[in-house]
Amino acid sequence: MSVPSSRKITQILRAELDKLVTLSLTWLTLMGTFILNLLLAAAFTSVGLQGAAGTQSILNIGLSSMGYLQAGFIILGILATCSEYTGGQIRTTLTTIPWRGFQLSTKYLALAIITVPMAFIIAASGVLYTFIMMRDTAVVIEIDTMIEALVGATGYLTLTTLLSAAIGALLRRTTPALVILLGYYFIVSPLSRDFLPHYFPDTAGYYMYMPPSSNEINILTPMQGTGVLMLWTVIFITVAIVFYRKRDA
């Protein structure tokens, strides 16, 4: 099968962006995640104000919701790839766009284009809220440190979304993908964190955004954490594309 021209690739990307933008669940998920993040930021900030706030950093408190916030982006990634299998829309897509590998690759690119700004806005909203409420009590942080942490948080949420989308493409069903991923991130990983190595996606990704602490051993640097999570994401995306090209819709 011939490789599509650059113009066709642009058209495929535009089509994938249109599908994600017009999918109501995309915006419902992002809006729900944004609201949840503000509620959690308010809760963690309230605890910080009542406790030993002087020993805590605004950044640490503002990013405390990341462990819960990632659920929205996991759901977003799964919906992006599984929604087409509902009602057989995938058959229409493959009839219109026969280049399967390029089609799925551009879907991931379109998903990243939407996820990056939304991830930054949502992560920054929690930190901004905490800064406004605790600027006179908590430990002040350097602006460069804040930007690095927010970039790391954005990268973590984006890579988590793409990883979830790849697993969604492999399973092709929303419910099993949600059960497996949410089960891992919120049950298996927290319970086994002391026994498993620090090279799993969520544990490695933690070091992407959380500032190093002098009170604990920092297993990975932010760059190492980014590299590990990126490797997991690339592996799953590659496997998803291979299976997508070989099996029936």
Side-chain angles (χ1 to χ4, degrees):
M1 184 177 293
S2 62
V3 176
S5 63
S6 58
R7 181 179 178 181
K8 288 182 179 178
I9 293 175
T10 302
Q11 292 174 341
I12 295 172
L13 177 59
R14 187 180 298 115
E16 293 300 330
L17 279 170
D18 287 341
K19 282 190 287 187
L20 290 174
V21 169
T22 56
L23 183 65
S24 59
L25 288 175
T26 297
W27 303 110
L28 288 174
T29 301
L30 289 172
M31 183 60 66
T33 304
F34 179 78
I35 294 172
L36 174 64
N37 185 54
L38 287 182
L39 292 175
L40 289 171
F44 286 120
T45 300
S46 176
V47 172
L49 287 170
Q50 296 173 10
T55 63
Q56 301 179 72
S57 165
I58 290 174
L59 197 55
N60 288 81
I61 298 174
L63 293 175
S64 295
S65 60
M66 282 288 291
Y68 306 94
L69 177 61
Q70 63 186 349
F73 288 88
I74 291 171
I75 294 171
L76 176 63
I78 292 172
L79 290 175
T81 49
C82 291
S83 59
E84 284 197 90
Y85 289 94
T86 303
Q89 184 185 353
I90 188 65
R91 295 185 178 87
T92 303
T93 297
L94 294 178
T95 300
T96 307
I97 308 172
W99 304 281
R100 290 193 174 201
F102 283 100
Q103 185 266 321
L104 188 57
S105 297
T106 52
K107 179 182 287 293
Y108 294 134
L109 178 57
L111 182 59
I113 290 173
I114 290 176
T115 303
V116 168
M118 295 307 301
F120 183 84
I121 291 171
I122 293 174
S125 66
V127 176
L128 179 61
Y129 178 88
T130 304
F131 173 77
I132 293 173
M133 300 301 296
M134 302 188 67
R135 61 183 181 274
D136 297 327
T137 58
V139 177
V140 180
I141 57 173
E142 297 290 337
I143 187 65
D144 291 345
T145 303
M146 179 181 293
I147 292 174
E148 289 176 4
L150 288 176
V151 169
T154 301
Y156 173 73
L157 293 174
T158 301
L159 290 173
T160 299
T161 304
L162 295 174
L163 177 63
S164 303
I167 294 176
L170 284 169
L171 298 178
R172 300 188 291 182
R173 297 293 180 269
T174 303
T175 301
L178 284 174
V179 169
I180 290 173
L181 281 172
L182 294 179
Y184 166 74
Y185 276 89
F186 291 93
I187 299 175
V188 176
S189 181
L191 292 177
S192 58
R193 188 158 293 169
D194 294 335
F195 308 101
L196 293 177
H198 290 257
Y199 297 101
F200 283 80
D202 57 326
T203 49
Y206 170 85
Y207 295 96
M208 293 176 62
Y209 58 86
M210 195 55 69
S213 173
S214 57
N215 298 324
E216 60 183 28
I217 299 175
N218 299 291
I219 306 298
L220 301 175
T221 66
M223 289 301 297
Q224 289 172 332
T226 301
V228 171
L229 180 53
M230 189 175 294
L231 181 60
W232 278 103
T233 305
V234 170
I235 289 173
F236 274 100
I237 286 177
T238 302
V239 173
I241 291 174
V242 170
F243 275 83
Y244 189 67
R245 294 182 62 185
K246 291 184 177 296
R247 66 189 179 187
D248 295 333

